[in-house]
């Protein structure tokens, strides 16, 4: 951290706060998509800074797959109390029960892809016209194509060829009835930037970002947390491993990494020498070469 450019972090902070304030100014019913992961935690912190001493003027939305890490839900609820903001929860289980989506079956079944319908329904129910998320361009090639203001059509779908230019930080939030925007205020941050900023601001993080003993299975190059939601093959035997998570999502597809990092300083050192991207641990991104882009076009985060 001592060698990291603090002025650069402050520049990133200022840029993100500017985007967040633009959202509040241009849209009638914005919201912040909150997964409980480090990027959405960072976004909530930046939002608090953007409007201090007032409270954050928009709700947080969490799409609950029903297969969350318990530690994530505990952190989410504690943060909501601290911020004093409204939490909207969209339930994938409700989407399944209503017949809008069908539960996957088989050994690699996951509810991660089912989130799209629940998200779009939640945005429609609460008439959200701008949903801010913590996606960054360095995460994945489909996300590298994103603008800060990402236009979505009346069906909530993303067309990478139909995006507005963003010259000199001028953002165009004009839309037709039924359309909305996804906005990504931390687009220009990297994973290292995020962790160094978290360290600089001394933010409290979910415990699963730090090393801990956990019962896991190894599947297709990923280390998955053993849970009641996994369908195990006969050859898959759970084993106790010392791991942490670089990204947080649905338990069925969020991969862990072997690690002994038990502090923010340790995490920064580990990330600085890692040769695998953080989403390289995600089983959902390995379903096809264009898995992320396909989901985005359908209305995913």
């Amino acid at each position: 951290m001592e060698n990291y450019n603090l002025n650069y972090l402050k520049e990133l902070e200022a840029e993100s706060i500017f985007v967040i304030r633009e959202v509040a100014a241009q849209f009638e019913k914005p919201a912040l998509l909150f997964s409980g992961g480090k990027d959405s935690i960072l976004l909530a912190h930046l939002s608090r800074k953007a409007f201090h001493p007032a409270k954050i003027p928009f709700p947080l939305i969490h799409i609950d797959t029903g297969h969350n890490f318990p530690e994530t839900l505990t952190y989410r609820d504690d943060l909501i109390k601290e911020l004093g903001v409204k939490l909207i929860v969209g339930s994938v289980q409700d989407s399944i029960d209503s017949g809008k989506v069908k539960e996957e079956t088989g050994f690699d079944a996951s509810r991660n892809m089912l989130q799209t319908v629940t998200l779009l329904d939640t945005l429609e129910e609460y008439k959200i016209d701008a949903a801010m998320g913590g996606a960054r361009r360095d995460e994945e090639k489909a996300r590298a194509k994103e603008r800060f203001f990402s236009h979505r059509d009346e069906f909530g779908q993303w067309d990478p060829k139909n995006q507005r230019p963003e010259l000199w930080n001028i953002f165009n939030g004009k839309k037709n009835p039924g359309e909305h925007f996804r906005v990504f205020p931390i687009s220009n941050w990297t994973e290292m930037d995020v962790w160094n900023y978290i360290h600089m601001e001394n933010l409290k993080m979910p415990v699963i970002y730090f090393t801990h003993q956990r019962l896991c299975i190894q599947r297709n190059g990923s280390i998955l947390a053993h849970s009641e939601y996994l369908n195990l093959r006969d050859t898959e035997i759970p084993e106790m491993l010392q791991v942490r998570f670089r990204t947080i999502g649905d338990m069925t597809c969020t991969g862990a990494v072997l690690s002994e990092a038990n502090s923010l300083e340790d995490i920064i050192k580990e990330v600085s020498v890692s040769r695998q991207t953080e989403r390289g641990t995600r089983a959902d991104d390995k379903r096809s070469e264009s898995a992320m882009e396909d989901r985005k076009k359908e209305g995913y985060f």
Side-chain angles (χ1 to χ4, degrees):
M1 180 66 186
E2 62 272 10
N3 295 324
Y4 214 78
N5 189 329
L6 298 185
N7 288 332
Y8 176 62
L9 290 179
K10 287 296 184 180
E11 289 174 5
L12 288 174
E13 176 191 70
E15 177 184 63
S16 298
I17 287 176
F18 173 76
V19 174
I20 292 168
R21 288 173 176 165
E22 278 290 299
V23 170
Q26 292 196 39
F27 297 96
E28 294 183 5
K29 298 198 71 175
L32 191 160
L33 301 177
F34 187 81
S35 68
K38 65 183 184 308
D39 299 316
S40 59
I41 292 169
L42 169 63
L43 201 49
H45 178 72
L46 292 169
S47 298
R48 174 161 50 180
K49 277 196 164 189
F51 303 103
H52 181 79
K55 290 184 178 180
I56 297 173
F58 40 75
L60 272 60
I61 295 178
H62 179 222
I63 302 303
D64 181 3
T65 66
H67 295 171
N68 297 290
F69 288 92
E71 298 94 332
T72 302
L73 297 181
T74 298
Y75 183 94
R76 179 200 70 184
D77 294 342
D78 289 344
L79 182 63
I80 291 298
K81 290 179 182 178
E82 179 186 340
L83 295 176
V85 297
K86 179 181 179 181
L87 173 68
I88 296 171
V89 178
S91 170
V92 172
Q93 185 62 56
D94 288 348
S95 298
I96 295 171
D97 294 341
S98 66
K100 292 186 174 181
V101 295
K102 183 178 180 181
E103 184 96 67
E104 291 184 0
T105 59
F107 293 114
D108 295 317
S110 172
R111 287 186 174 182
N112 196 60
M113 293 185 69
L114 307 186
Q115 294 182 86
T116 299
V117 170
T118 308
L119 171 59
L120 293 175
D121 284 349
T122 303
L123 297 179
E124 172 63 25
E125 178 182 354
Y126 290 91
K127 307 302 179 186
I128 303 300
D129 55 359
M132 287 181 284
R136 309 186 322 269
R137 294 190 181 114
D138 76 315
E139 288 182 277
E140 204 271 345
K141 57 188 179 182
R143 288 184 169 172
K145 299 178 181 179
E146 284 285 17
R147 302 287 199 269
F148 280 101
F149 278 33
S150 179
H151 175 264
R152 304 299 171 103
D153 65 21
E154 64 272 25
F155 302 106
Q157 297 178 329
W158 174 69
D159 180 359
K161 297 180 181 179
N162 186 29
Q163 300 299 316
R164 285 90 182 271
E166 294 180 341
L167 305 176
W168 307 291
N169 280 350
I170 297 176
F171 303 114
N172 181 358
K174 293 183 179 180
K175 56 182 176 54
N176 295 316
E179 300 175 346
H180 72 276
F181 278 80
R182 307 291 173 84
V183 182
F184 305 107
I186 62 170
S187 290
N188 287 337
W189 297 57
T190 67
E191 185 184 11
M192 278 292 290
D193 295 333
V194 171
W195 281 117
N196 276 287
Y197 184 84
I198 288 170
H199 182 264
M200 181 178 75
E201 297 288 289
N202 194 28
L203 300 185
K204 181 181 178 182
M205 302 300 291
V207 295
I208 59 176
Y209 274 119
F210 303 95
T211 185
H212 58 285
Q213 293 283 328
R214 198 174 203 106
L215 201 60
C216 301
I217 68 160
Q218 301 198 43
R219 175 182 293 176
N220 300 328
S222 296
I223 300 174
L224 300 177
H226 178 56
S227 71
E228 60 183 303
Y229 313 124
L230 282 181
N231 299 321
L232 298 186
R233 296 176 173 84
D234 292 338
T235 56
E236 294 177 330
I237 301 174
E239 55 183 324
M240 193 66 71
L241 299 174
Q242 187 156 328
V243 299
R244 74 174 192 88
F245 294 87
R246 288 177 66 184
T247 179
I248 296 177
D250 190 271
M251 290 188 72
T252 59
C253 61
T254 302
V257 293
L258 299 174
S259 175
E260 296 183 357
N262 59 12
S263 68
L264 292 175
E265 292 87 349
D266 289 344
I267 290 175
I268 290 170
K269 291 177 182 177
E270 184 177 274
V271 171
S272 69
V273 298
S274 176
R275 301 187 66 179
Q276 183 182 44
T277 65
E278 59 191 298
R279 290 198 68 91
T281 64
R282 294 290 294 258
D284 51 325
D285 287 352
K286 298 178 181 179
R287 290 192 172 197
S288 72
E289 284 291 324
S290 60
M292 172 63 77
E293 182 155 340
D294 292 341
R295 290 197 305 255
K296 283 175 64 62
K297 288 178 179 178
E298 293 170 0
Y300 183 72
F301 182 60

